[in-house]
Amino acid sequence: MTQRQAVSVATILGMVVLVLLLVVCHPFSWGSELEVAVTGTSVSEAAVSGSGVSGTAVSGGAVLSGSAKGFYSSSVTGGAVTGSAIAIGSGNTLVTRIAMPDGYVRTEDTQDSLAYFLRNYPLRKDKSKVKLYDGSYKVNQDAHVAIFKLPLEKENLQQCADSIIRVYAEYYYKTGQYDKIVFRFVDGFEADYSKWRAGARIEVGANGAQWTDGTAADESYAAFKKYLRMVFSYANTTSLKSEFTATDISRMQIGDIFLQDGSSGHVVMVADLCENAEGKKAFLLAQGSTPAQQFHVLKNPAHEDDPWYYEEELTYPLKTPEFTFQEGSLMHRNDG
């Protein structure tokens, strides 16, 4: 081999090594997935492959700023971050905590609606653990993405159906719709808060529940809580089901429930709802459970980095982190 040939071979080998090094050390320039960890730095500050990630809008309107926390494993398209992961921020409501999916917008609400009530209800700090009624921690801490600051009684009463009752009761109480605070016991008795508020009380005996003369009218929140504890003691998924009517996803609203009744039944609530341009829905689910525990927003086991449940993915049985619901379980409250 001549000296010139040797130089040529060495040059070619050097170029091959250089290309291999570029592939190993700079995969982003070859169209691979981009992983962006957001830890106190806005996305606009993160430079990627010399071009950076422009803007801060992520997943249909969520803003990743200095307070946002989350992890994205997404591709870069046109300077925007896209992909299936949903940002979980540090905001104190559903609207500010959980980003919408890309291309979706939240359904309209009014300030006196249940949708507005739930979307703006205070949440506990991000990464909080779900507590039981006695202050201890729930065993499974991998099922939730957020926890509502919904009051929880210290007795083991406010379980799955009771949590749904609590949400509706607190909403009606806050908006002054006292006549709608009516819930059924297992025996069919209707516990009407308006009567309780006026001073009547409920007595439960061998022949079921009945109203009795009570005390003077009491409009206090303390009396309201005593009423709820009475309801929690005698209501369950079966009695709750009698207050709802079957519906379908095309008519889904915030406050609808997936309910499977019976001794081993369960119920979860649609806590938030959004739609894309084609009218397809995505929704968040929330639950209480047994033992009595804090009301919390569930993950979606189909894709745990995205808690939204999608109409286009909806099949039965519907799997949530801790329960499976059969077809026909989606229901709407009769007075809603």
Side-chain angles (χ1 to χ4, degrees), residues 223-278:
F224 171 66
K225 291 209 303 179
K226 289 180 180 178
Y227 160 82
L228 286 177
R229 285 197 290 272
M230 174 64 74
V231 173
F232 296 162
S233 299
Y234 297 100
N236 62 12
T237 52
T238 299
S239 61
L240 186 67
K241 184 177 181 179
S242 69
E243 302 167 14
F244 285 73
T245 301
T247 187
D248 58 68
I249 194 167
S250 68
R251 296 177 291 167
M252 177 183 278
Q253 298 178 37
I254 292 174
D256 287 354
I257 59 175
F258 288 91
L259 184 148
Q260 209 75 45
D261 63 341
S263 59
S264 59
H266 190 52
V267 58
V268 297
M269 175 179 275
V270 176
D272 202 356
L273 186 65
C274 58
E275 294 181 348
N276 63 16
E278 288 75 42

Side-chain angles (χ1 to χ4, degrees), residues 290-310:
T290 305
Q293 57 196 253
Q294 293 170 329
F295 193 60
H296 51 278
V297 181
L298 292 168
K299 292 180 179 178
N300 183 341
H303 33 70
E304 292 198 359
D305 57 352
D306 177 359
W308 293 92
Y309 291 73
Y310 295 88

Side-chain angles (χ1 to χ4, degrees), residues 154-173:
K154 293 183 179 179
E155 302 90 348
N156 187 17
L157 293 173
Q158 193 171 312
Q159 300 177 1
C160 62
D162 313 295
S163 295
I164 306 303
I165 291 170
R166 185 90 197 215
V167 169
Y168 272 101
E170 293 284 350
Y171 161 63
Y172 291 141
Y173 188 89

Side-chain angles (χ1 to χ4, degrees), residues 7-21:
V7 171
S8 297
V9 170
T11 301
I12 292 171
L13 289 174
M15 292 177 66
V16 170
V17 171
L18 179 59
V19 170
L20 289 173
L21 286 173

